[in-house]
Amino acid sequence: MGDEIYVIDPVLCTECVGHYEKPTCQKVCPISNCIKKDPDNEETQEQLWERFVMIHHFNEI
């Protein structure tokens, strides 16, 4: 909507694992079903959880 374009960084995205059941970007996007999983960046729940822990541990230091 409008001129704002948001890009999800796959290096930092945890698909909200550790926070929410469903990714927040999908919940708040005003365009229904516009955010799809990137087939080139599919990860397991364990990989997403490891990223969540790494990001939050790094931010605490």
Side-chain angles (χ1 to χ4, degrees):
M1 297 184 73
D3 292 332
E4 293 182 0
I5 297 174
Y6 296 93
V7 177
I8 298 168
D9 185 345
V11 174
L12 297 175
C13 180
T14 63
E15 296 180 20
C16 293
V17 166
H19 288 289
Y20 306 103
E21 289 184 30
K22 184 176 181 181
T24 302
C25 60
Q26 292 177 351
K27 286 185 190 178
V28 301
C29 183
I31 302 170
S32 178
N33 298 321
C34 71
I35 299 173
K36 308 280 187 213
K37 286 192 174 212
D38 181 351
D40 295 330
N41 288 301
E42 288 191 29
E43 298 168 298
T44 66
Q45 290 294 307
E46 291 79 19
Q47 290 171 310
L48 294 168
W49 178 253
E50 288 174 9
R51 180 175 298 130
F52 167 82
V53 171
M54 179 196 65
I55 290 170
H56 289 278
H57 176 71
F58 179 76
N59 285 333
E60 292 175 359
I61 296 176

PDB file of all heavy atoms in Angstrom, residues 7-27:
ATOM      1  N   VAL A   7      11.225  -5.421   2.858  1.00  0.00           N
ATOM      2  CA  VAL A   7      11.946  -6.606   2.418  1.00  0.00           C
ATOM      3  C   VAL A   7      12.339  -7.402   3.656  1.00  0.00           C
ATOM      4  O   VAL A   7      12.880  -6.852   4.611  1.00  0.00           O
ATOM      5  CB  VAL A   7      13.211  -6.217   1.606  1.00  0.00           C
ATOM      6  CG1 VAL A   7      13.989  -7.454   1.210  1.00  0.00           C
ATOM      7  CG2 VAL A   7      12.829  -5.403   0.383  1.00  0.00           C
ATOM      8  N   ILE A   8      12.069  -8.687   3.625  1.00  0.00           N
ATOM      9  CA  ILE A   8      12.413  -9.558   4.742  1.00  0.00           C
ATOM     10  C   ILE A   8      13.799 -10.126   4.493  1.00  0.00           C
ATOM     11  O   ILE A   8      14.053 -10.751   3.465  1.00  0.00           O
ATOM     12  CB  ILE A   8      11.380 -10.682   4.888  1.00  0.00           C
ATOM     13  CG1 ILE A   8      10.007 -10.068   5.181  1.00  0.00           C
ATOM     14  CG2 ILE A   8      11.802 -11.664   5.972  1.00  0.00           C
ATOM     15  CD1 ILE A   8       8.864 -11.029   5.071  1.00  0.00           C
ATOM     16  N   ASP A   9      14.701  -9.892   5.429  1.00  0.00           N
ATOM     17  CA  ASP A   9      16.074 -10.384   5.323  1.00  0.00           C
ATOM     18  C   ASP A   9      16.103 -11.845   5.777  1.00  0.00           C
ATOM     19  O   ASP A   9      15.898 -12.131   6.961  1.00  0.00           O
ATOM     20  CB  ASP A   9      16.996  -9.541   6.194  1.00  0.00           C
ATOM     21  CG  ASP A   9      18.456  -9.912   6.050  1.00  0.00           C
ATOM     22  OD1 ASP A   9      18.764 -10.994   5.497  1.00  0.00           O
ATOM     23  OD2 ASP A   9      19.305  -9.130   6.489  1.00  0.00           O
ATOM     24  N   PRO A  10      16.359 -12.799   4.865  1.00  0.00           N
ATOM     25  CA  PRO A  10      16.351 -14.208   5.247  1.00  0.00           C
ATOM     26  C   PRO A  10      17.435 -14.568   6.256  1.00  0.00           C
ATOM     27  O   PRO A  10      17.319 -15.559   6.962  1.00  0.00           O
ATOM     28  CB  PRO A  10      16.542 -14.945   3.929  1.00  0.00           C
ATOM     29  CG  PRO A  10      17.156 -13.959   3.004  1.00  0.00           C
ATOM     30  CD  PRO A  10      16.668 -12.605   3.447  1.00  0.00           C
ATOM     31  N   VAL A  11      18.462 -13.745   6.359  1.00  0.00           N
ATOM     32  CA  VAL A  11      19.541 -14.006   7.326  1.00  0.00           C
ATOM     33  C   VAL A  11      19.059 -13.721   8.750  1.00  0.00           C
ATOM     34  O   VAL A  11      19.535 -14.323   9.705  1.00  0.00           O
ATOM     35  CB  VAL A  11      20.784 -13.153   6.986  1.00  0.00           C
ATOM     36  CG1 VAL A  11      21.851 -13.278   8.043  1.00  0.00           C
ATOM     37  CG2 VAL A  11      21.330 -13.542   5.625  1.00  0.00           C
ATOM     38  N   LEU A  12      18.103 -12.832   8.905  1.00  0.00           N
ATOM     39  CA  LEU A  12      17.609 -12.451  10.226  1.00  0.00           C
ATOM     40  C   LEU A  12      16.214 -12.979  10.538  1.00  0.00           C
ATOM     41  O   LEU A  12      15.782 -12.931  11.681  1.00  0.00           O
ATOM     42  CB  LEU A  12      17.604 -10.928  10.361  1.00  0.00           C
ATOM     43  CG  LEU A  12      18.962 -10.256  10.275  1.00  0.00           C
ATOM     44  CD1 LEU A  12      18.810  -8.747  10.295  1.00  0.00           C
ATOM     45  CD2 LEU A  12      19.862 -10.723  11.399  1.00  0.00           C
ATOM     46  N   CYS A  13      15.523 -13.486   9.539  1.00  0.00           N
ATOM     47  CA  CYS A  13      14.148 -13.944   9.758  1.00  0.00           C
ATOM     48  C   CYS A  13      14.132 -15.275  10.505  1.00  0.00           C
ATOM     49  O   CYS A  13      14.806 -16.223  10.126  1.00  0.00           O
ATOM     50  CB  CYS A  13      13.431 -14.106   8.427  1.00  0.00           C
ATOM     51  SG  CYS A  13      11.727 -14.673   8.618  1.00  0.00           S
ATOM     52  N   THR A  14      13.340 -15.319  11.565  1.00  0.00           N
ATOM     53  CA  THR A  14      13.146 -16.561  12.316  1.00  0.00           C
ATOM     54  C   THR A  14      11.719 -17.078  12.134  1.00  0.00           C
ATOM     55  O   THR A  14      11.327 -18.024  12.803  1.00  0.00           O
ATOM     56  CB  THR A  14      13.384 -16.344  13.822  1.00  0.00           C
ATOM     57  OG1 THR A  14      12.414 -15.428  14.309  1.00  0.00           O
ATOM     58  CG2 THR A  14      14.778 -15.858  14.103  1.00  0.00           C
ATOM     59  N   GLU A  15      10.969 -16.438  11.223  1.00  0.00           N
ATOM     60  CA  GLU A  15       9.555 -16.745  11.024  1.00  0.00           C
ATOM     61  C   GLU A  15       8.803 -16.658  12.352  1.00  0.00           C
ATOM     62  O   GLU A  15       7.834 -17.351  12.588  1.00  0.00           O
ATOM     63  CB  GLU A  15       9.373 -18.107  10.351  1.00  0.00           C
ATOM     64  CG  GLU A  15       9.947 -18.138   8.953  1.00  0.00           C
ATOM     65  CD  GLU A  15       9.771 -19.476   8.252  1.00  0.00           C
ATOM     66  OE1 GLU A  15       8.899 -20.273   8.659  1.00  0.00           O
ATOM     67  OE2 GLU A  15      10.501 -19.712   7.284  1.00  0.00           O
ATOM     68  N   CYS A  16       9.307 -15.807  13.236  1.00  0.00           N
ATOM     69  CA  CYS A  16       8.733 -15.528  14.556  1.00  0.00           C
ATOM     70  C   CYS A  16       8.764 -16.729  15.500  1.00  0.00           C
ATOM     71  O   CYS A  16       8.072 -16.738  16.514  1.00  0.00           O
ATOM     72  CB  CYS A  16       7.331 -14.934  14.450  1.00  0.00           C
ATOM     73  SG  CYS A  16       7.372 -13.279  13.720  1.00  0.00           S
ATOM     74  N   VAL A  17       9.573 -17.733  15.175  1.00  0.00           N
ATOM     75  CA  VAL A  17       9.764 -18.862  16.100  1.00  0.00           C
ATOM     76  C   VAL A  17      10.324 -18.289  17.392  1.00  0.00           C
ATOM     77  O   VAL A  17      11.222 -17.459  17.383  1.00  0.00           O
ATOM     78  CB  VAL A  17      10.730 -19.907  15.494  1.00  0.00           C
ATOM     79  CG1 VAL A  17      11.203 -20.897  16.537  1.00  0.00           C
ATOM     80  CG2 VAL A  17      10.069 -20.624  14.343  1.00  0.00           C
ATOM     81  N   GLY A  18       9.780 -18.697  18.504  1.00  0.00           N
ATOM     82  CA  GLY A  18      10.201 -18.174  19.797  1.00  0.00           C
ATOM     83  C   GLY A  18       9.346 -17.018  20.275  1.00  0.00           C
ATOM     84  O   GLY A  18       9.444 -16.608  21.420  1.00  0.00           O
ATOM     85  N   HIS A  19       8.518 -16.479  19.372  1.00  0.00           N
ATOM     86  CA  HIS A  19       7.640 -15.359  19.730  1.00  0.00           C
ATOM     87  C   HIS A  19       6.177 -15.684  19.490  1.00  0.00           C
ATOM     88  O   HIS A  19       5.349 -15.526  20.367  1.00  0.00           O
ATOM     89  CB  HIS A  19       7.995 -14.097  18.933  1.00  0.00           C
ATOM     90  CG  HIS A  19       9.279 -13.461  19.344  1.00  0.00           C
ATOM     91  ND1 HIS A  19       9.442 -12.791  20.528  1.00  0.00           N
ATOM     92  CD2 HIS A  19      10.477 -13.407  18.714  1.00  0.00           C
ATOM     93  CE1 HIS A  19      10.688 -12.345  20.610  1.00  0.00           C
ATOM     94  NE2 HIS A  19      11.316 -12.704  19.528  1.00  0.00           N
ATOM     95  N   TYR A  20       5.856 -16.078  18.266  1.00  0.00           N
ATOM     96  CA  TYR A  20       4.457 -16.262  17.864  1.00  0.00           C
ATOM     97  C   TYR A  20       4.282 -17.573  17.105  1.00  0.00           C
ATOM     98  O   TYR A  20       5.228 -18.111  16.556  1.00  0.00           O
ATOM     99  CB  TYR A  20       3.994 -15.101  16.962  1.00  0.00           C
ATOM    100  CG  TYR A  20       4.223 -13.758  17.578  1.00  0.00           C
ATOM    101  CD1 TYR A  20       5.271 -12.953  17.175  1.00  0.00           C
ATOM    102  CD2 TYR A  20       3.385 -13.284  18.590  1.00  0.00           C
ATOM    103  CE1 TYR A  20       5.493 -11.709  17.758  1.00  0.00           C
ATOM    104  CE2 TYR A  20       3.595 -12.050  19.166  1.00  0.00           C
ATOM    105  CZ  TYR A  20       4.656 -11.272  18.749  1.00  0.00           C
ATOM    106  OH  TYR A  20       4.871 -10.052  19.318  1.00  0.00           O
ATOM    107  N   GLU A  21       3.037 -18.034  17.035  1.00  0.00           N
ATOM    108  CA  GLU A  21       2.751 -19.261  16.297  1.00  0.00           C
ATOM    109  C   GLU A  21       2.804 -19.037  14.790  1.00  0.00           C
ATOM    110  O   GLU A  21       3.186 -19.926  14.040  1.00  0.00           O
ATOM    111  CB  GLU A  21       1.380 -19.801  16.686  1.00  0.00           C
ATOM    112  CG  GLU A  21       1.355 -20.377  18.087  1.00  0.00           C
ATOM    113  CD  GLU A  21       0.022 -20.997  18.420  1.00  0.00           C
ATOM    114  OE1 GLU A  21      -0.661 -21.497  17.511  1.00  0.00           O
ATOM    115  OE2 GLU A  21      -0.332 -20.968  19.606  1.00  0.00           O
ATOM    116  N   LYS A  22       2.400 -17.861  14.347  1.00  0.00           N
ATOM    117  CA  LYS A  22       2.393 -17.517  12.929  1.00  0.00           C
ATOM    118  C   LYS A  22       3.276 -16.287  12.732  1.00  0.00           C
ATOM    119  O   LYS A  22       3.250 -15.384  13.557  1.00  0.00           O
ATOM    120  CB  LYS A  22       0.962 -17.220  12.475  1.00  0.00           C
ATOM    121  CG  LYS A  22       0.823 -16.935  11.015  1.00  0.00           C
ATOM    122  CD  LYS A  22      -0.630 -16.745  10.622  1.00  0.00           C
ATOM    123  CE  LYS A  22      -0.734 -16.480   9.135  1.00  0.00           C
ATOM    124  NZ  LYS A  22      -2.113 -16.277   8.713  1.00  0.00           N
ATOM    125  N   PRO A  23       4.064 -16.228  11.650  1.00  0.00           N
ATOM    126  CA  PRO A  23       4.905 -15.056  11.419  1.00  0.00           C
ATOM    127  C   PRO A  23       4.097 -13.754  11.449  1.00  0.00           C
ATOM    128  O   PRO A  23       3.049 -13.647  10.815  1.00  0.00           O
ATOM    129  CB  PRO A  23       5.498 -15.308  10.034  1.00  0.00           C
ATOM    130  CG  PRO A  23       5.510 -16.800   9.902  1.00  0.00           C
ATOM    131  CD  PRO A  23       4.260 -17.246  10.606  1.00  0.00           C
ATOM    132  N   THR A  24       4.591 -12.788  12.189  1.00  0.00           N
ATOM    133  CA  THR A  24       3.910 -11.506  12.342  1.00  0.00           C
ATOM    134  C   THR A  24       3.757 -10.779  11.010  1.00  0.00           C
ATOM    135  O   THR A  24       2.745 -10.130  10.776  1.00  0.00           O
ATOM    136  CB  THR A  24       4.667 -10.618  13.344  1.00  0.00           C
ATOM    137  OG1 THR A  24       4.740 -11.314  14.577  1.00  0.00           O
ATOM    138  CG2 THR A  24       3.972  -9.297  13.564  1.00  0.00           C
ATOM    139  N   CYS A  25       4.748 -10.899  10.138  1.00  0.00           N
ATOM    140  CA  CYS A  25       4.649 -10.209   8.844  1.00  0.00           C
ATOM    141  C   CYS A  25       3.403 -10.649   8.092  1.00  0.00           C
ATOM    142  O   CYS A  25       2.743  -9.839   7.445  1.00  0.00           O
ATOM    143  CB  CYS A  25       5.903 -10.449   8.006  1.00  0.00           C
ATOM    144  SG  CYS A  25       6.232 -12.189   7.624  1.00  0.00           S
ATOM    145  N   GLN A  26       3.054 -11.926   8.192  1.00  0.00           N
ATOM    146  CA  GLN A  26       1.855 -12.417   7.517  1.00  0.00           C
ATOM    147  C   GLN A  26       0.592 -11.875   8.175  1.00  0.00           C
ATOM    148  O   GLN A  26      -0.393 -11.611   7.498  1.00  0.00           O
ATOM    149  CB  GLN A  26       1.832 -13.940   7.519  1.00  0.00           C
ATOM    150  CG  GLN A  26       2.905 -14.537   6.646  1.00  0.00           C
ATOM    151  CD  GLN A  26       2.926 -16.055   6.718  1.00  0.00           C
ATOM    152  OE1 GLN A  26       2.256 -16.655   7.530  1.00  0.00           O
ATOM    153  NE2 GLN A  26       3.721 -16.658   5.857  1.00  0.00           N
ATOM    154  N   LYS A  27       0.620 -11.703   9.491  1.00  0.00           N
ATOM    155  CA  LYS A  27      -0.551 -11.191  10.200  1.00  0.00           C
ATOM    156  C   LYS A  27      -0.827  -9.729   9.881  1.00  0.00           C
ATOM    157  O   LYS A  27      -1.972  -9.321   9.744  1.00  0.00           O
ATOM    158  CB  LYS A  27      -0.361 -11.317  11.708  1.00  0.00           C
ATOM    159  CG  LYS A  27      -0.491 -12.701  12.242  1.00  0.00           C
ATOM    160  CD  LYS A  27      -0.386 -12.601  13.753  1.00  0.00           C
ATOM    161  CE  LYS A  27      -0.252 -13.920  14.408  1.00  0.00           C
ATOM    162  NZ  LYS A  27      -0.099 -13.797  15.864  1.00  0.00           N
TER     163      LYS A  27
END
